Amino acid sequence: MMQMTGAQLIVRLLERQGVRTIAGIPGGAILPLYDALGGSELIHHVLARHEQGAGFMAQGMARASGQPAVCFASSGPGATNLVTAIADAFLDSIPMVAITGQVPLSMIGTDAFQEVDIYGITVPITKHNFLVRSVEELLTVIPDAFRIAMSGRPGPVLVDVPKDVQNQLISFTDFPPRVVSDSLPPVDAEAIEEAARLINEAEQPVLYLGGGVVHSGASALAVTLAEQACMPTTMTLMGLGAMPVDHPLSIGMLGMHGARYTNFVLEEADVLVCVGARFDDRAVGKAAQFCPRAKIVHIDVDPSELHKIKRAHVAIHADVGSALEALLPRIRKSMRKRWLSHVDSLRSRFPMQLPGMDDPRTHYGLVRAVAAALDDDAIITTDVGQHQMWVAQAYPFRRPRQWMTSGGLGTMGFGVPTAMGAALAEPDRTVVCFSGDGSLMMNVQEFATLAEENLNVKIVLMNNSSLGLVYQQQNLFYGKRVFASKYGAGPDFIKIAEGFGIGAVDLDQAANPRAALAQALQTPGPCLIHASIDREQFVYPMVPPGAANTEMIGG
Amino acid sequence: MIEQVADPLPQTGFAKVVLELEVNNHPGVMSHICNLFARRAFNMEGILCMPVAGGERSRIWLLVFEDQRLEQMIRQLEKLEDVLAVRRHGAEHEVFERLEDFFH
């Protein structure tokens, strides 16, 4: 018979689940849990400077490892500060367990100090959430939280634990076993046959890979399918890295900022094989005009994604990897010479244009120079804005989990703490965060945590003294009425970094920016790499919001 | 610029549908379910809930209009951790009809 407090039980259950790093910030209602965590010899706690930072550090760990990662926050403002990171994990299907302290049970509903209904607040942004009402429930709730976070389509789970439940004593005989993912229903053999028939009979098929391929660990299978059926393959923002972008069958990223030829190839598809993607509006543009001629095969682990935006001719509810394994033996080897040569001619007529890519003082050139100084082992994160799209367009992603970006929620401030989480999970890799001067300021306080943990994170700051994507849209779609998108006084980012105890390099001042960049990237430890870029450079091509993907401007 | 604006959904002319949900019984289940409908501006015309199986579970009856989003709503319902089963009945189901007396 074991006896311990609820707080000690939570820590033991986390240890037994394999958790070795937790990011968080203590506060009154979670102090019992922190007291117990302080006694853990297995778990390293990373003290974030803002709970949103802790949430994104957990995301970084989860995005790097594929396993659920944990963050802690106290009640009230601690919990509400986590909300953005939880919503971001929900939209990008990232497995995460957020544990929050809550006021004691007897005080819930009395507007007690730092009381907020975080359970109610997170209903629409979690896969599931719990308000723990007795210490006994912890024995099932904590394992369930992990099981739910990682099963099927991954996602965030919140567990709200009142302070008195953390202090309550419990006696029990056995720990619950470490949980694994739920098994999924068997793949529908008939649907697989039908999908294979459509692909085999297709003349102009296109493979469309999303983040689900990365989550499922099915990238190699997806590449095999593409090669066996000779299908040109496009990736969503979340799917980048599923197929090496320099693979001969890769046609790059589709959608709002995809290359012209990519969107034109999709326009002509007669069969579209969508694997682990969800026809997001930034990817497909006006849905009714997306792939107008194509029959659609849709494979997804989440049945509610099937038929949601586009009705699929063959809908397969299955783990992407299992479905591809079942599909592959039924796919005829095919050359599709005519289709591939047509794709090539579209590619050469409407290529991805990366002006200035050989000059490290331009936006594309800087992205390429960073890539040239790194190998494929490096992890790349971004914040949100123009720099994010330029990296998506120009960085040569070649492996899954090489790339972490806030796709669904588009959260500025994502990049730095997520890079830190990735570095915590994969300490042997170099992690580079591309950021902008708008995004960086939204979680700049985590520089303190970064210096303290001395993580191998390099921040490449593309500074155009503006909210660039807003500035771009005002110029393109709002009659050049530029308002609230230019910064009057930018801070001295070099001094900011140095003030936090982080090394800094200003490429503007470097005689040889390429060499200065390479040296900064190769020196272990954190570093801010500052580069001014031209505000008048826009992200092209661009599909205007609400337009069809073939109505691109620029590029 | 053309912003993506959804066409207004026709509100009338749709048949009524009765949904029967088998759910876990604890505080919070109802808020998960109501949230799903509210977020999509999908009005629930009627709602009825009583415990079953000795209080372990509840049965919820929902009266909704069948518009083109209903199929998606049902899939979303089935995804909720606390929803164990969703059955769909036609408007002829008498559960809400028998309640009429309490509303007149």
Side-chain angles (χ1 to χ4, degrees), chain A residues 125-146:
Chain A
I125 55 164
T126 51
K127 237 185 124 175
H128 193 56
N129 57 6
F130 299 94
L131 170 55
V132 183
R133 285 166 199 278
S134 74
V135 69
E136 288 77 22
E137 282 180 31
L138 288 170
L139 285 168
T140 52
V141 164
I142 300 293
D144 274 348
F146 279 86

Side-chain angles (χ1 to χ4, degrees), chain A residues 3-10 32 105 132-138 161-171:
Chain A
Q3 199 185 45
M4 58 184 76
T5 65
Q8 288 164 333
L9 176 59
I10 292 172
L105 278 172
V132 183
R133 285 166 199 278
S134 74
V135 69
E136 288 77 22
E137 282 180 31
L138 288 170
V161 191
K163 191 173 186 180
D164 51 343
V165 174
Q166 298 172 42
N167 283 323
Q168 233 179 332
L169 279 174
I170 180 173
S171 303

